[in-house]
Amino acid sequence: MASVNSLSASIQQRVADALGADPLLRRSDRADFQANGVLGLAKRSKQNPRELAAQVVEALPAGDELIAAVEVSGPGFLNITVSDAAITRTLAARAADDRLGVPVKPEPGTTVIDYAQPNVAKEMHVGHLRSSVIGDALVKILEFEGETVIRRHHIGDWGTQFGMLIQYLVEHPHELDHEASEAGEEAGEASMSRLNRLYKASRTVFDSDEEFKTRSRKRVVDLQAGDPETLAMWQRFVDESKIYFNSVYDKLDIAIRDEDVVGESGYNDMLVETCKLLEESGVAVRSNGALCVFFDDVKGKDGEPVPLIVQKADGGFGYAATDLSAIRDRTADLHADTLLYVVDSRQALHFKMVFETARRAGWLTDEVTALHIPFGTLLGKDGKPYKTRSGETFRLVDLLDEAVERAATVIREKSSELTDEEVADRAKEVGIGAIKYADLSTSLGRDYVFDLDRMVSLNGDTSVYLQYAYARNRSILRKAGDAKPVAHPELPLAPAERALGLLLDEFAETLAGVSETYEPHKLASYLYALASAYTTFFDQCPVLKAETPELRENRLFFCDLTARTLRQGMALLGIRTPERL
Ligand code: ARG
């Protein structure tokens, strides 16, 4: 595991030594890099910037094997061109490392990430898609960098709605019985349809039968008091739902471990104490019987303060009490120094108030970062939230199935030699990849239009485009026969090779940026740029038909490193890269 100094880091260092200040290096389309740091230094030291720039050029070692050319441009910018040999050599160092030269954090912390949190006895909808996909990518990226990551699936598995459901099950004990033959994906569907049926039936009775309503309310009290029979019934709902969740996550190609599913019920024992601590410290106060936390800057339309309600006037605990207790658990017991919440942007105010409350209570200290990672809504082509024709929210599974179907059509058209079975296998990887990529390539917090035609398109910023670039690349490497990928730093590089090479070198820095801001779309757009640069390279630089054996080896080397970088990058986004398409 060797981390590799990127070209930009090496040049940064070199110019910093000559300048005696930060050169503020960036990629440029004038040359490979541009340094703007001369301007600021000239201003501070009252020097002529162009003269200072010329001095820096003088001070740079001549005949440098890293820098091929430096030019002063404009008011005092330095345009820097890297030598071809330095590009190939740096890439060779990356290729020699399993991790492509991506460093492991020297002092990793512990991050608790709250994502993929569907609700028990309820259908999963498109909102649960985004949290799962973004969360899964962040887990993979952070773990790759060496962070200790604790996953928490804060499922909605507690609350007054269970009174009605449990009571109905008590009175109709066979409603959740299984067919002996149930397995796999169908088992998930069967579970959900049982839960749906039970929900509808119990709702009907609840709305029409006052006595049932009373019995249901009593059940809530029993549930909260921990009555064993009631808890056992409740557990059946949770177990039934997990069968369904798991089948959807299988389809989504996201691994959810049972031990990481710690739902709202998991903090039940802490709620009373959480309230007590808040009330005793004065962070929360009683207002019309409810236990509330007030904020100067949170007011309703009428200008009246809107409090965070920790405990309702009837004694019931809400969503906030659970989240506050979860913070106590995640900081004091799990020793997290970062808490991430991948949740719908509509819950932004909730998290703002919860975090602020936890800070006042001392559960979140300055050493702990708590961050809501918001995501926007999926929109239909009409720009309104994505709904079925009858105005209902889409079931997540239907959406996934449709994506896989569309992908199958695209693959069949493009690759006629595949068998039906192969088409079906690839369609899963391509269809699910398409959905994940569309999601991950959208910047956080933004809404996006759910357009399957666009998502499975072969052209444009899609996972299919990336997967084809990868597969094409792999096919060249297969066809190379005895010719092996070997770096030849002595060979001059064509413009398309330089462009591809400079991008390949940016992988580690891109990842560092992603884990700093928790923005997976930066990785997605990097991979798209890489695949595009590869496509240009592929068009302009013959690989197998290269003029000399050395050139062929060097180009195979570029192909191989591109394939590995694409595969690693896509894997971190949770997207498969089939070897053949
Ligand atoms: N179950 C919730 C929902 O479906 C999301 C939970 C988010 N996490 C949290 N700690 N509040 O909206």
Side-chain angles (χ1 to χ4, degrees):
M1 271 196 289
S3 81
V4 175
N5 244 354
S6 66
L7 292 163
S8 79
S10 307
I11 294 174
Q12 167 88 19
Q13 188 57 53
R14 195 66 61 89
V15 183
D17 291 347
L19 180 66
D22 183 351
L24 302 174
L25 197 72
R26 61 200 47 158
R27 282 296 300 275
S28 147
D29 41 18
R30 300 284 184 90
D32 296 333
F33 295 95
Q34 186 169 70
N36 300 340
V38 173
L39 298 183
L41 180 64
K43 198 166 178 196
R44 287 193 297 277
S45 59
K46 303 209 163 52
Q47 276 173 286
N48 176 319
R50 280 193 68 97
E51 272 166 30
L52 179 61
Q55 283 166 29
V56 175
V57 174
E58 282 300 305
L60 282 169
D64 189 285
E65 85 292 344
L66 174 65
I67 296 173
V70 197
E71 251 173 42
V72 178
S73 93
F77 301 132
L78 295 174
N79 285 345
I80 301 167
T81 304
V82 198
S83 77
D84 291 351
I87 295 180
T88 309
R89 238 183 242 121
T90 306
L91 296 185
R94 293 204 179 284
D97 178 31
D98 274 352
R99 298 176 49 86
L100 302 165
V102 178
V104 178
K105 269 194 196 177
E107 285 170 36
T110 300
T111 294
V112 173
I113 173 164
D114 185 314
Y115 72 107
Q117 326 93 331
N119 300 316
V120 163
K122 289 205 186 125
E123 194 84 63
M124 286 174 75
H125 56 76
V126 293
H128 299 121
L129 169 75
R130 303 211 61 191
S131 171
S132 308
V133 170
I134 298 168
D136 187 50
L138 288 175
V139 168
K140 292 186 159 106
I141 294 165
L142 296 174
E143 278 186 341
F144 187 65
E145 301 225 302
E147 180 79 354
T148 301
V149 179
I150 302 175
R151 304 138 205 235
R152 281 291 174 265
H153 308 295
H154 197 87
I155 62 171
D157 63 355
W158 202 248
T160 48
Q161 75 276 17
F162 285 98
M164 174 184 96
L165 292 171
I166 293 171
Q167 188 56 35
Y168 191 83
L169 189 59
V170 169
E171 295 173 19
H172 305 81
H174 295 296
E175 287 292 306
L176 290 185
D177 288 356
H178 289 198
E179 301 283 336
S181 62
E182 284 174 25
E185 193 181 301
E186 275 100 64
E189 284 286 312
S191 291
M192 192 62 239
S193 66
R194 270 191 293 275
L195 288 166
N196 269 337
R197 206 175 45 226
L198 205 148
Y199 183 85
K200 284 199 189 105
S202 62
R203 184 89 240 172
T204 309
V205 191
F206 188 85
D207 288 341
S208 59
D209 180 344
E210 278 306 314
E211 281 169 20
F212 178 75
K213 206 178 241 176
T214 311
R215 292 199 294 281
S216 297
R217 297 228 163 96
K218 163 104 190 2
R219 263 306 152 189
V220 177
V221 180
D222 292 346
L223 180 64
Q224 271 156 359
D227 166 57
E229 189 211 7
T230 305
L231 274 181
M233 286 290 173
W234 165 82
Q235 189 64 47
R236 291 188 63 192
F237 280 98
V238 176
D239 293 344
E240 191 73 37
S241 288
K242 281 189 181 169
I243 298 176
Y244 166 70
F245 296 158
N246 287 334
S247 78
V248 179
Y249 282 116
D250 269 354
K251 199 171 267 199
L252 252 183
D253 195 12
I254 288 179
I256 300 284
R257 296 185 306 215
D258 214 35
E259 70 260 35
D260 300 328
V261 181
V262 182
E264 295 177 18
S265 66
Y267 306 96
N268 219 7
D269 292 346
M270 302 175 73
L271 301 177
V272 170
E273 194 181 28
T274 296
C275 290
K276 188 166 155 265
L277 292 170
L278 287 173
E279 192 166 8
E280 277 172 7
S281 60
V283 172
V285 292
R286 290 280 165 192
S287 170
N288 298 325
L291 186 63
C292 300
V293 184
F294 288 93
F295 308 86
D296 288 342
D297 56 348
V298 185
K299 297 207 170 71
K301 286 200 190 81
D302 51 5
E304 286 297 305
V306 177
L308 181 72
I309 300 177
V310 188
Q311 189 181 22
K312 288 178 267 181
D314 67 6
F317 301 103
Y319 194 46
T322 311
D323 263 326
L324 287 164
S325 303
I327 289 184
R328 291 175 53 210
D329 176 56
R330 291 169 191 187
T331 51
D333 302 326
L334 300 177
H335 307 292
D337 29 55
T338 307
L339 303 180
L340 303 179
Y341 295 79
V342 189
V343 185
D344 192 324
S345 57
R346 283 172 291 195
Q347 295 192 29
L349 183 59
H350 166 75
F351 285 109
K352 176 184 144 87
M353 296 201 286
V354 164
F355 296 162
E356 175 63 33
T357 301
R359 296 233 174 256
R360 291 185 198 168
W363 300 326
L364 280 179
T365 59
D366 289 346
E367 278 77 56
V368 184
T369 307
L371 215 55
H372 173 207
I373 298 179
F375 53 80
T377 310
L378 286 195
L379 304 176
K381 286 186 192 159
D382 57 0
K384 301 210 183 89
Y386 195 55
K387 293 271 163 70
T388 62
R389 249 174 242 160
S390 54
E392 284 162 48
T393 37
F394 262 101
R395 285 170 12 117
L396 180 52
V397 261
D398 293 341
L399 230 111
L400 301 180
D401 288 343
E402 194 171 339
V404 172
E405 239 165 73
R406 300 274 184 113
T409 312
V410 172
I411 296 167
R412 223 174 269 126
E413 272 166 24
K414 173 108 180 155
S415 333
S416 46
E417 71 280 7
L418 295 179
T419 65
D420 283 352
E421 200 179 319
E422 283 171 323
V423 171
D425 281 350
R426 308 282 196 291
K428 281 187 204 153
E429 301 181 323
V430 170
I432 298 302
I435 289 209
K436 288 186 178 178
Y437 187 84
D439 207 282
L440 292 167
S441 57
T442 306
S443 51
L444 288 177
R446 271 190 45 202
D447 299 343
Y448 73 89
V449 173
F450 192 84
D451 180 352
L452 274 176
D453 291 326
R454 201 190 62 73
M455 289 179 190
V456 300
S457 156
L458 292 167
N459 304 307
D461 190 3
T462 65
S463 61
V464 194
Y465 176 74
L466 298 176
Q467 286 168 325
Y468 267 104
Y470 177 78
R472 196 164 55 214
N473 186 333
R474 297 295 294 165
S475 112
I476 296 179
L477 290 158
R478 276 194 304 271
K479 283 187 203 135
D482 287 342
K484 294 276 163 284
V486 183
H488 285 282
E490 74 282 4
L491 293 178
L493 297 177
E497 291 171 318
R498 291 183 60 85
L500 177 62
L502 286 166
L503 265 175
L504 283 168
D505 189 44
E506 281 177 24
F507 184 52
E509 278 160 1
T510 303
L511 284 183
V514 173
S515 51
E516 200 175 290
T517 58
Y518 306 108
E519 291 176 298
H521 79 269
K522 289 181 181 165
L523 176 56
S525 58
Y526 167 78
L527 293 171
Y528 178 57
L530 185 65
S532 307
Y534 177 73
T535 306
T536 309
F537 160 85
F538 182 76
D539 290 341
Q540 298 181 0
C541 306
V543 179
L544 298 178
K545 296 204 172 85
E547 289 121 55
T548 65
E550 289 76 24
L551 191 57
R552 179 165 58 223
E553 288 184 342
N554 201 45
R555 288 190 176 155
L556 281 171
F557 164 75
F558 273 71
C559 285
D560 185 49
L561 188 60
T562 304
R564 287 172 59 193
T565 308
L566 280 175
R567 182 174 55 215
Q568 178 66 70
M570 299 280 271
L572 291 175
L573 295 180
I575 301 175
R576 304 260 172 191
T577 35
E579 293 295 302
R580 290 166 210 262
L581 260 182

